[in-house]
């Protein structure tokens, strides 16, 4: 199956948007080659600002530009796009409801060899409590493109998290809709709710589970905020158990979002396949995924356990 | 001369309103509001192109109060300009009020919130870059506190503004020499502050921040500077105009009592009378 860099499509999509809309402005903080914003910068130097290694300035300048009618995309690595300028994002970008789209690359543990300092696995958790922001973790390059287009078309702040590595294409043209999850594969026994590259892992876990006589549905949940409450509740009602899969700490991300919905609507057992309150380390992406249990096998184990625990109900 | 008298008069009115709204609210920041009064009076009654009936006017000069806690001075200037009725000032900091404890976009005339210090120069830089991009001739004014510029983000913005040659950007440093915990020179020395900004690539003008003539001249000079942003280092007195607040660190963030308001009003009246006799 096709594998693509989501950030490649991000760069190309920026270029398209830049051609059709002079309001589109792009900012980067010395990582424009990696984030691919350089593609835009080359074509539109007068609408591209590299602010250097200065992420606080990146976000607050983006806010200022947006206050003058610009649609501003601000990019750097997910670690530096969230942790360092959190105040600028909270108090300037989000409080003012600025039309600033933070598109961060190199999110998650699969950043790999650079190690824990560069592995953004708390980024969604940093931002999720902040009002006004919408948070999207696309599952592949095409969904990343769709998310970028949705952010462009929708007024207000966004955080879109892309990975460093190539992502296997899950669907060529995913029916991405802001704030909606989609059932990609249906099932009878358990729901696997996933975002980002974990969607692909969940699809493989479905095959593993099938061999064990368990029929799993796979739900792609790219919008973490506002999360698709209706779909989550429906899944809980139908299956009575859910496994959430994400390349993020178990605290603060999609697992938290799902549990928050279910705790006040339809409490059911929810298991997490996520980084279990630990820092990452160096290694290649596959090794790391394995080490932290972010694998089809890891998902299947959680699903089997959950089915056992709830079989009496 | 007429103009100067008009501006002085407005500054005096602003001071009264600052004291009154803070006494009414029972909390807030008089010290830095009073030190910035002439700066804001000059901007809002003389220097800036703006239209109170059309706060979102695309061609307006931009104003950003980076030291957001001094919003009483901004609110006074906005009210006297007719952005909203003066009565609003008396609801400062109340539940549901248009005038929040720190600047908020629900206030007519405030386009960007502030309150968390150290970010405003970046916001202003963004506005300046947009102006250049759109080939508009508006200018951007950003008022910063001296304690505030201890924040790292200020220096990121300072470096970037010089790099991008935003000569439509004018920063004003309210150099009142005090922050919350004491004198800036004791807490975290800023000197040599002029050299710092110059070495970052800014054009720097120093002046007495309570002298209307000199401030107007500084703003005028700044308009003519090309290829560089300008910083006006305005030497000011924290709590200016109210004797028992001047240089008193406690009045950074303590509102006057009603008794203190009365005394302050008397002093301000005396100042007004003296000035009108000149
Ligand atoms: C990021 C941030 N840190 C701390 C504060 C709390 N605070 C409010 S005012 C102030 C001192 C500011 O001093 P200065 O900039 O000199 O203001 P001025 O003297 O003009 O009132 C501090 C530390 C804040 N508002 N924002
Ligand atoms: Mg001060």
């Amino acid at each position: 199956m096709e594998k693509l860099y989501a950030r490649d499509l991000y760069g190309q999509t920026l270029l398209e948007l830049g051609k059709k809309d002079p309001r589109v402005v792009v900012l980067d903080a010395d990582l424009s080659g990696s984030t691919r914003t350089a593609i835009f910068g080359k074509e539109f130097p007068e609408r591209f600002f590299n602010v250097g290694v200065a992420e606080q300035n990146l976000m607050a300048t983006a806010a200022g530009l947006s206050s003058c009618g610009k649609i501003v995309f601000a990019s750097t690595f997910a670690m530096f796009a969230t942790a360092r300028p959190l105040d600028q994002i909270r108090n300037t970008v989000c409080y003012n409801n600025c039309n600033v789209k933070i598109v961060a690359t190199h999110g998650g543990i699969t950043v790999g060899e650079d190690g824990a300092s560069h592995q953004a696995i708390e980024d969604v958790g940093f931002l999720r409590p902040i009002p006004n922001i919408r948070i999207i973790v696309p599952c592949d390059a095409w969904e990343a493109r769709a998310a970028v287009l949705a952010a462009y078309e929708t007024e207000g702040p966004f955080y879109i998290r892309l990975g460093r590595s190539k992502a296997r294409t899950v669907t060529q043209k995913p029916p991405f809709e802001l704030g909606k999850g989609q059932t990609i594969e249906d099932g009878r026994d358990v729901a696997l709710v996933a975002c980002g590259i974990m969607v692909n892992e969940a699809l493989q876990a479905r095959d593993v589970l099938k061999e064990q006589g368990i029929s799993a549905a796979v739900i792609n949940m790219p919008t973490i905020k506002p999360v698709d409450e209706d779909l989550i509740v429906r899944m809980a009602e139908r299956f009575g158990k859910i496994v959430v899969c994400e390349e993020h700490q178990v605290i603060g991300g999609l697992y938290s979002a799902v549990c928050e919905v279910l705790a006040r609507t339809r409490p059911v057992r929810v298991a997490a396949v996520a980084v279990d309150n630990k820092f990452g380390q160096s290694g290649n992406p596959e090794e790391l995924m394995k080490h932290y249990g972010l694998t089809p096998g890891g998902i299947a184990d959680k699903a089997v356990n959950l089915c056992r625990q709830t079989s009496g109900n | 001369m007429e103009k100067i008298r008009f501006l002085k008069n407005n500054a005096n009115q602003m001071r009264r309103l600052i004291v009154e709204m803070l006494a009414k609210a029972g909390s807030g920041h008089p010290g830095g509001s009073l030190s910035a009064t002439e700066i804001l009076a000059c901007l809002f009654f003389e220097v800036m192109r703006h239209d109170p009936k059309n706060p979102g006017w695309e061609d307006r000069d931009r104003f950003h109060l980076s030291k957001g806690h001094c919003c009483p001075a901004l609110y006074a200037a906005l009210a006297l300009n007719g952005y909203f009725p003066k009565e609003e000032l008396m609801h400062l900091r109340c539940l549901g009020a248009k005038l929040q404890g720190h600047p908020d976009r629900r206030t007519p005339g405030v386009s960007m919130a502030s309150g968390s210090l150290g970010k405003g120069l970046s916001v202003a830089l963004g506005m300046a870059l947009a102006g250049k991009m759109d080939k508009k001739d508006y200018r951007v004014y950003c008022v910063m506190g001296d304690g505030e510029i201890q924040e790292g983000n200020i220096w990121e913005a300072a470096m970037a503004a010089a790099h991008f040659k935003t000569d439509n950007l004018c920063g004003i440093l309210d150099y009142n020499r005090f922050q919350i915990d004491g004198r800036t020179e004791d807490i975290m020395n800023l000197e040599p502050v002029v050299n710092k900004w110059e070495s970052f690539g800014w054009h720097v003008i120093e002046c007495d921040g309570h002298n209307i003539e000199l401030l107007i001249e500084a703003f005028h000079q700044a308009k003519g500077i090309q290829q560089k942003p300008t910083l006006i280092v305005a030497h000011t007195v924290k709590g200016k105009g109210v004797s028992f607040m001047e240089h008193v660190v406690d009045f950074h963030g303590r509102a006057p009592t009603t008794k203190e308001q009365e005394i302050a009003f008397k002093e301000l009246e005396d100042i007004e009378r003296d000035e009108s006799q000149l």
Side-chain angles (χ1 to χ4, degrees):
Chain A
M1 227 190 306
E2 174 191 57
K3 284 185 100 176
L4 294 170
Y5 287 110
R7 45 199 172 112
D8 278 344
L9 254 71
Y10 170 49
Q12 287 162 26
T13 307
L14 278 182
L15 191 60
E16 267 173 54
L17 291 175
K19 281 181 180 152
K20 82 169 195 194
D21 191 338
R23 294 172 304 168
V24 173
V25 174
V26 178
L27 273 61
D28 204 297
D30 202 31
L31 287 166
S32 63
S34 299
T35 64
R36 305 294 195 258
T37 59
I39 299 172
F40 179 97
K42 211 169 156 208
E43 183 80 16
F44 303 107
E46 72 293 346
R47 283 193 268 149
F48 176 75
F49 301 97
N50 192 333
V51 298
V53 194
E55 295 78 14
Q56 304 176 65
N57 190 37
L58 174 76
M59 296 305 170
T61 304
L65 279 157
S66 79
S67 79
C68 298
K70 305 299 173 195
I71 301 170
V72 189
F73 286 84
S75 290
T76 174
F77 289 178
M79 178 55 80
F80 316 129
T82 53
R84 178 71 54 96
L86 189 54
D87 181 14
Q88 284 73 9
I89 295 173
R90 194 270 185 189
N91 278 313
T92 307
V93 172
C94 292
Y95 185 38
N96 289 301
N97 202 21
C98 290
N99 213 6
V100 170
K101 323 299 177 185
I102 302 165
V103 182
T105 67
H106 296 62
I109 195 104
T110 49
V111 157
E113 291 79 356
D114 275 346
S117 65
H118 283 54
Q119 291 160 348
I121 47 178
E122 299 88 10
D123 53 340
V124 173
F126 290 150
L127 303 183
R128 211 166 57 84
I130 305 174
N132 290 342
I133 197 162
R134 295 177 177 87
I135 302 173
I136 308 175
V137 181
C139 67
D140 62 20
W142 294 105
E143 191 165 76
R145 173 180 159 77
V148 168
L149 292 173
Y152 161 76
E153 276 156 17
T154 312
E155 180 83 23
F158 274 75
Y159 178 69
I160 300 176
R161 185 229 244 189
L162 312 180
R164 172 189 156 222
S165 314
K166 283 182 175 172
R168 198 176 295 280
T169 297
V170 172
T171 32
Q172 188 71 25
K173 280 188 185 135
F176 176 80
E177 204 182 322
L178 186 60
K180 294 274 181 260
Q182 315 116 16
T183 304
I184 327 185
E185 294 287 354
D186 210 351
R188 287 187 313 273
D189 301 320
V190 62
L192 311 178
V193 175
C195 63
I197 57 168
M198 292 306 288
V199 174
N200 184 50
E201 304 295 315
L203 284 169
Q204 292 177 44
R206 184 174 187 268
D207 297 337
V208 176
L209 286 166
K210 199 186 282 172
E211 283 165 22
Q212 303 182 34
I214 295 174
S215 163
V218 177
I219 288 98
N220 176 23
M221 195 66 80
T223 309
I224 317 293
K225 186 179 185 176
V227 79
D228 189 344
E229 296 204 11
D230 290 348
L231 183 59
I232 292 168
V233 173
R234 262 189 283 134
M235 290 302 128
E237 279 168 355
R238 227 180 111 192
F239 298 103
K241 48 193 171 295
I242 291 175
V243 181
V244 176
C245 319
E246 60 182 326
E247 193 193 0
H248 189 275
Q249 296 284 7
V250 68
I251 298 169
L254 179 60
Y255 177 68
S256 296
V258 169
C259 291
E260 285 158 18
V261 171
L262 295 179
R264 65 182 151 75
T265 52
R266 172 99 195 182
V268 298
R269 294 298 294 263
V270 187
V273 176
V275 180
D276 193 12
N277 201 20
K278 292 186 182 80
F279 286 110
Q281 59 181 302
S282 291
N284 73 40
E286 290 89 316
E287 285 169 348
L288 288 166
M289 296 283 276
K290 217 169 264 159
H291 184 84
Y292 291 95
L294 308 177
T295 56
I299 299 170
D301 286 351
K302 293 271 167 101
V304 169
N305 273 339
L306 206 51
C307 289
R308 260 193 222 128
Q309 284 167 5
T310 53
S311 61
N313 296 358
Chain B
M1 219 41 235
E2 201 46 42
K3 183 167 83 187
I4 303 298
R5 188 165 310 166
F6 166 77
L7 290 171
K8 277 188 179 164
N9 180 35
N10 274 310
N12 287 335
Q13 285 192 56
M14 281 172 63
R15 282 213 163 82
R16 272 170 188 263
L17 291 173
I18 290 166
V19 170
E20 193 182 356
M21 78 176 95
L22 285 168
K24 185 85 203 306
S27 68
H29 302 81
S33 301
L34 294 168
S35 63
T37 298
E38 277 79 13
I39 298 168
L40 267 74
C42 287
L43 286 169
F44 277 89
F45 294 100
E46 169 67 20
V47 174
M48 286 201 305
R49 180 171 74 199
H50 66 122
D51 178 5
K53 289 194 200 65
N54 186 7
W57 181 30
E58 278 189 15
D59 292 322
R60 73 190 185 283
D61 286 335
R62 302 310 199 258
F63 177 81
H64 186 61
L65 186 64
S66 188
K67 53 167 204 157
H69 60 283
C70 300
C71 53
L74 173 61
Y75 295 159
L78 290 173
L80 290 172
N81 267 279
Y83 276 87
F84 47 79
K86 264 201 270 184
E87 293 76 71
E88 286 289 346
L89 299 174
M90 298 307 128
H91 303 299
L92 171 68
R93 292 179 163 242
C94 291
L95 185 68
K98 263 205 180 72
L99 305 185
Q100 296 285 297
H102 289 82
D104 180 283
R105 294 190 313 152
R106 77 189 72 186
T107 304
V110 175
S111 63
M112 287 291 266
S114 54
S116 168
L117 295 167
K119 299 174 300 181
L121 192 59
S122 293
V123 172
L125 168 62
M127 295 171 175
L129 290 172
K132 290 267 173 205
M133 207 182 306
D134 294 341
K135 307 216 164 24
K136 290 200 179 278
D137 66 350
Y138 66 71
R139 293 182 59 76
V140 184
Y141 295 95
C142 176
V143 175
M144 292 169 278
D146 46 6
E148 178 184 20
I149 67 166
Q150 291 158 358
E151 285 280 359
N153 190 170
I154 292 289
W155 300 97
E156 296 181 3
M159 202 184 302
H163 178 81
F164 293 122
K165 301 186 169 62
T166 45
D167 50 18
N168 52 349
L169 175 61
C170 178
I172 302 99
L173 179 65
D174 183 354
Y175 201 3
N176 59 29
R177 307 207 174 232
F178 280 93
Q179 55 193 107
I180 291 189
D181 278 349
R183 299 181 68 90
T184 50
E185 64 181 336
D186 298 329
I187 305 301
M188 184 49 64
N189 184 31
L190 304 165
E191 287 298 330
V193 79
V194 170
N195 304 32
K196 283 192 176 76
W197 287 86
E198 280 177 348
S199 72
F200 270 66
W202 286 57
H203 179 76
V204 180
I205 306 169
E206 277 188 278
C207 75
D208 174 348
H210 298 302
N211 185 316
I212 301 266
E213 286 101 323
L214 296 179
L215 277 170
I216 297 286
E217 202 182 294
F219 283 120
H220 186 73
Q221 195 197 116
K223 272 187 199 176
I225 301 298
Q226 284 178 7
Q227 300 288 311
K228 275 180 172 199
T230 295
L231 180 77
I232 297 175
V233 175
H235 294 279
T236 58
V237 172
K238 200 152 176 172
K240 174 76 177 176
V242 179
S243 63
F244 56 89
M245 291 188 182
E246 288 190 0
H247 307 291
V248 175
V249 76
D250 184 40
F251 276 104
H252 167 85
R254 168 163 98 66
T257 62
T258 9
K259 253 242 165 70
E260 287 168 337
Q261 178 190 330
E262 276 173 36
I263 306 170
F265 267 34
K266 263 209 198 88
E267 291 187 13
L268 292 171
E269 267 166 41
D270 289 346
I271 293 174
E272 269 170 66
R273 191 168 336 101
D274 291 351
E275 276 175 0
S276 66
Q277 282 166 0
L278 286 181

